[in-house]
Structure formats: C-alpha cells, structure tokens
Amino acid sequence: YHKVYIPRRRLMKLCNEPYFENAITNFYVRLGVGRDSKTQKPCYRLCKIVEVVTRDEYSFPQVENQPRVKTDKHLLLAFGQHTREYKMVQVSEKRPTAEDVKNLVGQLKTNRMNDEMLTKKGAAKLRKQHHNLVNNYVYTTEDIDRAVAEGKKLGKVSVNIAAEKTRVEIQVKGAEAAVADAKGRLQDAEVERMEADDAVVAMAEQKVEKAKEAVKEAEKRLQESIEEQNRLAKMDEQRMRKIKGSKKNQDWVKVNQRAKLANRNADFEAFKKEQLARQANPAEPKFDPYARRRVKPKNLWEVGGAKKSGVGGADEATGAGSGSKEAAPIERDDSKENDKRDGAQLKDGGPQQPQKWVLPRQSSNAFTFDDDLAIGGDIVLGGLGKKKALVRKRKGISLDEYQERKKSGTL
C-alpha cells in the first residue's frame, strides 16, 4: 500500500494537470475522519480513490515560498462499500500505518470484497503506469486552452479585464444567435415529424431528439458565457473598489493635490514678480524685423499746374524762371489736348511754369510716393475735398536723366 499511496502535497502539485484523474484513480490516500470518542486521538482511514468530481472551489494550505493553490476538484473515496466525496485538504501528509492497513483489510473482508484487495503485482503495475503518465505526458493545444479556461473560471485575475469583457460580450452574442438557430432547427424538425409518413416517423423522431440536445447544449453555453460575463463585471468592480479604498492610493491623491496647489501658487508668484519688474523698469520696445520702417517721403515724379507752396516752392519757381538748367524740368506733350492748352496759354501771356516741390536730401533707400493723384480729372488734396481741375501741362524728367541725377547726387 505504500507504493500506491499519495500524500496531500502530491495531490496539490498535480491537481491542475490535464492527466490528474487518470494519474490518481485506484490509488489510496490517508483520510482524516475526526477524533476517537474515547482517546481523543486523530482517526484516519485508508481509502481508495474511485473518481475525481468537480464541485465548489477551495484552497490548499499555504506552503512557504510557494503560491497558494486553488482547485474545484473533489475526490470520491471508497472505504469498503461506503463511498463519499471529500476535499483533498482532508488528506494526510504522513504514510499509512499498519493499523490503517489492518482496518481497510478488515472492512473489505467484512463486506466480502476480497477481489478489491491490493496485491503486490497490482501495486507495481499501478505505480509504473502513474510514473509513465506523469513523466512522459505531452501537452496538446486542447490541454492548454482547457487550462486557461479553468484558470479564468477559478477567478484568477485577468491580465486585461477590458479586453476580456469585450471578448465575453461577443461570445454571449454568438451564444444567443446559436440558441436561436438551434430553436429554429427544432421547430423545423417538429414540423417534419408532423408531416412525415409512417415509414419515416422513427427518423423524424431521432432528428427531433438531436435538435433538442443541440438546443440544450446551446443554452448551456449561453449560460456559461453569461456567468463569465457576470464574473468579469464583479472582478472589475472589486478591482475599482480596491483601488479607491487603498490607503496608499489615497495618500498619493493627497500628495498630488498638494503638488498641484503648490505649482499654481508658484506660477502666480512668478507672474506677480514679472509684472512688478515691468512696472519698475519699463523696457524699450524690442526690434521687430517685420515692422515698417519710418522714412520721410520723397518725390520721384512731378505733376501739377501753377500752384504755390509754403515750403519753398516759390523760390524754386523763381529759380526755374531765371533759367536754372539743373532745376528746369523737361517738357513733354502727352496728347493733342496739351498742344491746344499750350496755344491758349500763349494767348494769355505765355506758359505757366509748374512749381516744383523740393524736400531735404534723403537716403538713397527711402520710400517715395506722389503727393497728388489725378483721379477722373480732379486733384485729391489729402482727402480734404475736391478742387476744380486747372489747365495744366504735364512736365517731368526722363528715366535716363533720373538715373544721372541719382548717380551724381543732385536728385
């Protein structure tokens, strides 16, 4: 019996493996059943493992330097003719004693179950099978998927709860569609059974039974999906409650609030100091390379009739009348209308010399513009109104003369 005995630590190690049931069936465990009513000593029974069943979840005792193991597997144990389900935490770690073996053999003889007694050959065969299965087992994709599903079912924390919730929601919708499809097939099968002849009634009955089984299976999957969805929702709620109720997180919230308030005060004080510094020492405006430069206007083209200027136009006009070649503008007839106007002026006493506006010499890169702009025959005077057009003659200088004057500096 020592060869086919399994202690609790061995069960804890193998309980979540896919080969667990095949590896421990027909083996023996030492089960604690309480204390003796007379001696108050612990009582144990050497029981045979008949089957592994799935029930409520429970945990094994914590082992040092190892994570806590959870499982939902129970053992169906037999002691003679008596069978009952027990949790694996009730199994002893110690080897069975001679008294335990004696009690088991006596119970088998009392119940006339001599065929159930273990032999040396049977014990060696069981031990060899157990060793080969545990050490040479090859995991398949189905085993891995089943292990992952069982881990989630046991309430292990998901790595990404949001992704799991999305996946389960899609799974629930698919299960609902599968249930509706199975029910539709069941209705079609029942209609076929009602319309079937006597020769094919049996086949129609079988089809209806299969459709009913498919409906039950689809409803079972739908229920499992809904349970998983509820479990994830509860897990998410617990996680949020744990985060909000954590003293460490609450302390960090207070620290962040104090830091935020300190930063706000620091910004306000810095702005206040900057404002005071600006008021105490008003700084000059900074140079803006894109701003328009301040320059004095300069005439490049002279247009106008006889008009007097208070800036020095009279002196210039006098100088022009005395025959100054440098200041005398060159006449230019723009049209026949100018010739007619010239004749009229000669009758009145000769042509009127246009007055020239002269400003102080400026830099060569200064901007220029015309003082007066002729618009529709009228002269606009600084936006102060319109003046009746005078009989005038357009005078000016040529481009070549302008270039010479600019080069010599006499412009």
Side-chain angles (χ1 to χ4, degrees):
Y1 284 93
H2 288 174
K3 293 182 179 180
V4 293
Y5 160 74
I6 297 182
R8 186 176 64 234
R9 61 180 178 276
R10 184 75 171 173
L11 294 174
M12 182 175 63
K13 183 179 180 180
L14 302 177
C15 64
N16 292 324
E17 298 293 340
Y19 53 81
F20 176 65
E21 184 173 1
N22 296 330
I24 67 170
T25 303
N26 295 327
F27 275 70
Y28 290 84
V29 293
R30 187 170 183 246
L31 181 69
V33 294
R35 294 182 177 273
D36 193 313
S37 58
K38 295 181 179 180
T39 61
Q40 294 298 320
K41 291 183 179 180
C43 295
Y44 295 93
R45 294 290 184 267
L46 188 61
C47 302
K48 183 179 180 180
I49 301 174
V50 179
E51 187 182 359
V52 178
V53 295
T54 303
R55 293 290 182 267
D56 298 333
E57 181 186 356
Y58 61 94
S59 301
F60 284 93
Q62 180 70 36
V63 180
E64 187 177 0
N65 298 329
Q66 291 185 8
R68 184 181 294 275
V69 179
K70 295 181 179 181
T71 184
D72 59 349
K73 297 180 176 63
H74 293 60
L75 301 179
L76 182 62
L77 304 179
F79 183 74
Q81 293 181 345
H82 306 284
T83 58
R84 188 178 175 183
E85 295 178 4
Y86 292 92
K87 295 180 180 179
M88 287 183 281
V89 293
Q90 296 179 248
V91 175
S92 175
E93 287 281 4
K94 296 183 179 180
R95 289 174 172 268
T97 61
E99 184 179 359
D100 298 333
V101 175
K102 182 180 178 181
N103 292 334
L104 175 61
V105 173
Q107 186 68 25
L108 293 175
K109 290 181 178 180
T110 302
N111 297 331
R112 298 181 180 182
M113 301 173 63
N114 296 330
D115 296 338
E116 297 294 330
M117 290 186 181
L118 185 66
T119 61
K120 291 183 178 181
K121 186 176 180 180
K125 185 178 179 179
L126 282 175
R127 186 175 180 83
K128 185 176 180 180
Q129 290 177 354
H130 176 83
H131 183 272
N132 292 335
L133 182 62
V134 172
N135 295 328
N136 300 324
Y137 185 80
V138 179
Y139 293 90
T140 62
T141 305
E142 291 78 7
D143 296 335
I144 297 174
D145 295 340
R146 192 182 306 111
V148 172
E150 289 179 357
K152 293 179 180 179
K153 186 177 179 181
L154 291 177
K156 295 182 179 179
V157 178
S158 302
V159 178
N160 191 341
I161 295 181
E164 290 294 324
K165 289 173 69 175
T166 303
R167 180 188 63 80
V168 172
E169 185 177 358
I170 296 173
Q171 184 176 343
V172 169
K173 292 182 179 179
E176 290 176 352
V179 169
D181 189 15
K183 288 183 178 179
R185 292 180 181 178
L186 177 59
Q187 292 178 359
D188 295 341
E190 290 178 349
V191 172
E192 290 181 2
R193 183 182 61 180
M194 293 173 62
E195 297 176 354
D197 298 335
D198 295 338
V200 292
V201 170
M203 294 178 60
E205 290 287 348
Q206 292 179 359
K207 193 172 182 179
V208 169
E209 292 297 329
K210 290 182 179 179
K212 288 182 179 179
E213 293 178 0
V215 170
K216 290 181 180 179
E217 185 67 22
E219 290 178 348
K220 182 180 178 181
R221 292 180 180 177
L222 176 60
Q223 185 65 26
E224 291 178 354
S225 300
I226 293 175
E227 290 178 357
E228 186 175 3
Q229 189 178 26
N230 296 335
R231 180 182 60 82
L232 286 174
K234 187 181 297 184
M235 186 184 302
D236 190 16
E237 184 180 356
Q238 291 177 355
R239 182 177 65 88
M240 294 301 297
R241 192 185 306 112
K242 183 178 179 181
I243 291 174
K244 292 180 180 179
S246 175
K247 186 177 183 301
K248 183 178 179 180
N249 294 336
Q250 292 178 357
D251 294 341
W252 277 114
V253 168
K254 294 178 182 178
V255 171
N256 293 335
Q257 290 177 351
R258 289 198 300 268
K260 186 176 180 180
L261 183 60
N263 292 336
R264 188 184 303 171
N265 294 335
D267 293 341
F268 178 76
E269 292 296 333
F271 178 75
K272 189 175 180 180
K273 291 179 180 179
E274 185 178 354
Q275 289 293 104
L276 294 175
R278 287 180 180 179
Q279 293 176 2
N281 299 321
E284 297 182 357
K286 295 182 179 179
F287 173 72
D288 186 2
Y290 302 101
R292 186 182 295 274
R293 289 176 291 177
R294 295 183 179 181
V295 296
K296 294 181 179 180
K298 181 180 180 181
N299 290 341
L300 279 182
W301 196 265
E302 297 177 355
V303 177
K307 61 179 181 178
K308 297 182 180 181
S309 174
V311 184
D315 297 337
E316 291 295 330
T318 305
S322 62
S324 176
K325 296 182 180 179
E326 183 175 349
I330 299 175
E331 294 185 7
R332 184 179 68 183
D333 297 335
D334 295 331
S335 64
K336 295 180 180 181
E337 295 294 330
N338 293 335
D339 296 336
K340 295 179 181 179
R341 292 173 184 173
D342 293 343
Q345 291 175 359
L346 289 174
K347 291 180 181 180
D348 295 338
Q352 296 181 359
Q353 188 71 17
Q355 298 186 10
K356 181 179 179 182
W357 293 68
V358 179
L359 296 176
R361 184 173 298 177
Q362 301 170 1
S363 60
S364 60
N365 61 346
F367 294 102
T368 61
F369 62 90
D370 292 340
D371 287 328
D372 300 327
L373 299 176
I375 302 176
D378 296 334
I379 300 177
V380 180
L381 300 178
L384 299 178
K386 295 184 179 180
K387 183 179 179 182
K388 186 176 180 181
L390 300 176
V391 179
R392 64 189 179 87
K393 187 174 183 179
R394 189 181 298 273
K395 303 261 184 197
I397 60 176
S398 64
L399 182 62
D400 295 338
E401 186 176 354
Y402 167 74
Q403 295 291 347
E404 288 183 8
R405 290 186 182 185
K406 182 178 180 181
K407 186 175 180 181
S408 62
T410 59
L411 185 63

